[in-house]
Amino acid sequence: MTLTQADDFLAESETLHAAIADLSDAELRMTTQFKDWSIEDVLVHLHFWNIAADLSATDEAALQKQVGAVMASLKDTGSMRGAENEAITERGTALRSLWINKAREMARRWRDMDPKARLSWVGPSMSARSSITARQMETWAHGFEIFDLLGKTRAEADRIKNIVVLGVNTFGWSHQVHSLPIPEAMPTLSLTAPSGDVWSFGEDTENTISGPAVDFAAVVTQTRAFADTSLIASGNVAQTWMANAQCFAGPPETPPAPGSRHRLSATDHG
């Protein structure tokens, strides 16, 4: 059995790498629209958690040590950034090389893993399939702010379905983390894939969401405000979900304000 999501994680990583491959050290320090993170900050974050996910499959003791440092940083400062920066000291083009080389090497090994293998994590354990899908999601989501900053349009592919499914599977979590009652049924989704295929989910026909699958993925990863997408949500349950969607773990996060996340032109950052 092949863990095909490892190939999707690698493709996502290679797509992001291609966008930043020619940037200088100074350009990698440019600030994005996401919490004033630089491209360099994004690479530190992605590399740190790629290593953590890999440790979950190879060295649980080392994983717990790394996660413990993050939890201590979060408790002391309200942020994981300190622990991430302490663990990943490389910067600039050296960091870029470390990140992509780790992603390539990791994807090759993970491709042969049992998709159902249980792996320890920060919270509950998860399957290998879920773990590597989370790495694809993080790479795609944080890649968004980099493509926006560079004024580039990312070429999307149907591997985005992994992130769509993650968004679907966290319907309940999106409500729970924001202290909202969890609806009995999920709205019916009709999402158009990059290939033109239509993906359908859900069972509540009185509440519906339709539009591009990429836009749905952008909303559940909080890389775009719902109002800035082409999605159409009908019904209170559908609209509440899209206003609070959060497919990632951690404390409740506020989606970006309308207009706050958008593609820049080359002149916007000099």
Side-chain angles (χ1 to χ4, degrees):
M1 188 178 294
T2 299
L3 182 55
T4 59
Q5 286 80 7
D7 294 334
D8 295 330
F9 160 68
L10 179 58
E12 212 64 72
S13 300
E14 295 286 9
T15 297
L16 178 55
H17 181 257
I20 64 173
D22 297 329
L23 298 183
S24 65
D25 284 350
E27 289 169 325
L28 290 170
R29 292 193 292 271
M30 291 189 297
T31 303
T32 74
Q33 298 167 31
F34 176 74
K35 299 182 178 180
D36 290 331
W37 282 23
S38 66
I39 298 174
E40 197 173 62
D41 292 332
V42 171
L43 295 180
V44 167
H45 180 73
L46 293 178
H47 189 48
F48 180 93
W49 290 103
N50 285 351
I51 290 172
D54 203 26
L55 287 174
S56 74
T58 60
D59 191 337
E60 186 172 345
L63 168 69
Q64 296 306 326
K65 182 178 179 180
Q66 184 157 324
V67 166
V70 168
M71 293 300 103
S73 177
L74 189 61
K75 181 179 179 180
D76 293 342
T77 68
S79 171
M80 300 183 292
R81 302 293 306 289
E84 293 177 356
N85 286 324
E86 186 174 339
I88 310 298
T89 58
E90 295 81 5
R91 294 295 181 268
T93 55
L95 169 63
R96 179 178 61 203
S97 295
L98 278 176
W99 159 70
I100 192 60
N101 288 337
K102 176 66 177 180
R104 289 166 177 166
E105 183 267 335
M106 180 177 168
R108 282 195 297 270
R109 286 186 291 101
W110 277 60
R111 193 173 189 273
D112 296 326
M113 286 179 60
D114 177 359
K116 297 181 180 180
R118 302 304 298 181
L119 304 174
S120 296
W121 196 234
V122 179
S125 66
M126 64 173 74
S127 68
R129 178 186 286 113
S130 294
S131 180
I132 202 68
T133 295
R135 302 317 311 140
Q136 179 197 352
M137 179 273 291
E138 283 257 319
T139 304
W140 184 84
H142 283 293
F144 224 116
E145 62 241 32
I146 294 175
F147 277 91
D148 283 346
L149 172 65
L150 300 177
K152 296 184 177 183
T153 301
R154 177 169 45 197
E156 301 290 0
D158 279 11
R159 65 177 179 272
I160 195 76
K161 189 173 186 179
N162 296 327
I163 302 171
V164 168
V165 170
L166 190 60
V168 168
N169 290 344
T170 50
F171 170 69
W173 165 251
S174 292
H175 291 78
Q176 179 186 334
V177 73
H178 289 98
S179 300
L180 296 169
I182 300 174
E184 292 184 4
M186 190 179 74
T188 297
L189 305 182
S190 180
L191 304 174
T192 303
S195 66
D197 289 349
V198 176
W199 299 332
S200 299
F201 305 89
E203 59 281 340
D204 179 357
T205 57
E206 293 184 3
N207 287 271
T208 62
I209 300 169
S210 62
V214 170
D215 283 5
F216 177 81
V219 170
V220 299
T221 57
Q222 296 189 354
T223 57
R224 281 289 187 271
F226 172 71
D228 293 336
T229 72
S230 299
L231 294 174
I232 298 173
S234 299
N236 289 335
V237 173
Q239 291 170 4
T240 298
W241 182 19
M242 290 295 91
N244 297 278
Q246 178 174 327
C247 75
F248 47 88
E253 294 283 354
T254 303
S260 65
R261 299 285 299 272
H262 57 277
R263 189 178 307 118
L264 301 178
S265 68
T267 57
D268 286 330
H269 53 70

